[in-house]
Amino acid sequence: MISEFGGLACHVDDHSSLAHDYGYEAYDDMTDYADAVRAKLAEAGSLEAAGLAGYVYTQLTDVEEEVNGLLTYDRRVNKTKRSLHVPDCSQ
C-alpha cells in the first residue's frame, strides 16, 4: 500500500485561496501537469503485478497554499481534464 504520493503542483490564477503556493514539483502548463499526473498514476498502477494493493493520491483538491490537487481550491477547474478551454497553470 502506498499511503500517499503525488504532490504535483499547478497554481491556477483566480481559482486558488492564496497568491503563493506549495508543491513538490511545479508545472506552469496545464497539459504538462496533466501528463505528469497520468504518468504517476500509471506508474503506481503498474505496481499491482508486484503486489501493490492500493494507493492514495495527494490530493483530490487544492488546500490553501497546497496546489497539488486534481481540482482547484474552488472546485471549478479539473486540472487533469484535456480541453482547449482550461486556463494555464501559473506561478
Side-chain angles (χ1 to χ4, degrees):
M1 176 69 82
I2 300 174
S3 62
E4 181 176 341
F5 80 103
L8 306 176
C10 179
H11 178 99
V12 180
D13 287 338
D14 300 323
H15 295 279
S16 296
S17 66
L18 302 169
H20 64 278
D21 50 61
Y22 173 80
Y24 298 114
E25 293 178 43
Y27 292 85
D28 293 329
D29 178 81
M30 189 82 70
T31 301
D32 291 343
Y33 168 81
D35 289 344
V37 168
R38 285 183 180 87
K40 286 273 188 198
L41 292 171
E43 184 179 358
S46 72
L47 297 174
E48 182 180 2
L52 180 67
Y55 56 81
V56 177
Y57 185 84
T58 304
Q59 55 204 27
L60 179 59
T61 65
D62 292 348
V63 179
E64 303 302 324
E65 74 272 358
E66 295 182 18
V67 293
N68 54 352
L70 302 176
L71 302 174
T72 56
Y73 180 79
D74 60 7
R75 279 62 165 180
R76 293 179 181 254
V77 178
N78 176 344
K79 296 188 280 184
T80 62
K81 185 175 182 179
R82 292 188 188 255
S83 169
L84 299 175
H85 302 291
V86 295
D88 281 337
C89 304
S90 64
Q91 296 297 327

